[in-house]
Amino acid sequence: MKGSVARKMGRLVLHWLLQPQFLPRYVAHNCARRTPLEMETPWFADAACDFLDRRMGRSLRVFEYGSGGSTLFCARRAQSVYSVEDNPAWFNRVSREVILRKLTNVTLRFCPFDFRNPQGFAKSDYLRAMPDDAFDVIIVDGS
């Protein structure tokens, strides 16, 4: 977010005035001092989370570039989640959370690539990681 602290605070207050339904969630999330991964919440705008929550169903199949809170959020609501991650530390952390929560409908795939080399990305397993299967929801929240 660009601007001075005062401008940022002004935009935040304006947002709450225009959409007060998100204020309690904002306070709860920030007071909890837990990450979106720990809270099983996507790192999306609240309105986007609500949109997905209303439309997710146990018959849906989800593919996502980038794993995290969205992986756990979707796994609780959808038939299956296939997630591709390029960061080894984050992949291990999300994998542990999936195991701890006994989520059996999640497939996590680790596909590193050299982000400094655009041609390396274009030819990477990460970019080509989406299976030929049909997916109902595709989330791009990663590299």
Side-chain angles (χ1 to χ4, degrees):
M1 200 187 297
K2 293 183 180 182
S4 67
V5 172
R7 283 184 181 257
K8 291 176 188 177
M9 292 302 295
R11 284 195 298 266
L12 192 57
V13 169
L14 179 62
H15 170 74
W16 288 332
L17 290 172
L18 296 174
Q19 299 184 23
Q21 72 272 23
F22 298 131
L23 180 58
R25 190 180 318 173
Y26 178 86
V27 172
H29 286 183
N30 285 288
C31 291
R33 302 218 186 269
R34 296 185 310 161
T35 67
L37 179 62
E38 294 165 331
M39 294 187 299
E40 298 186 10
T41 303
W43 192 252
F44 305 154
D46 289 333
C49 291
D50 291 348
F51 176 87
L52 276 175
D53 194 33
R54 286 190 304 271
R55 285 162 178 79
M56 280 285 177
R58 294 304 296 171
S59 65
L60 297 181
R61 300 183 65 229
V62 177
F63 177 86
E64 63 177 352
Y65 281 109
S67 60
S70 58
T71 307
L72 307 180
F73 175 90
C74 292
R76 298 278 188 210
R77 293 160 175 80
Q79 176 186 354
S80 63
V81 179
Y82 190 104
S83 185
V84 180
E85 180 59 51
D86 68 301
N87 181 305
W90 190 246
F91 173 81
N92 290 333
R93 187 166 174 196
V94 174
S95 296
R96 280 192 305 272
E97 294 296 329
V98 167
I99 292 166
L100 284 171
R101 287 168 167 76
K102 298 181 171 112
L103 297 172
T104 58
N105 62 337
V106 175
T107 301
L108 287 172
R109 184 167 170 206
F110 177 60
C111 294
F113 66 93
D114 183 359
F115 64 89
R116 296 167 294 187
N117 179 356
Q119 291 178 351
F121 178 75
K123 296 177 182 178
S124 70
D125 289 339
Y126 181 87
L127 184 61
R128 296 173 176 16
M130 185 185 294
D132 290 335
D133 304 347
F135 290 96
D136 304 294
V137 178
I138 298 173
I139 298 171
V140 180
D141 189 28
S143 298

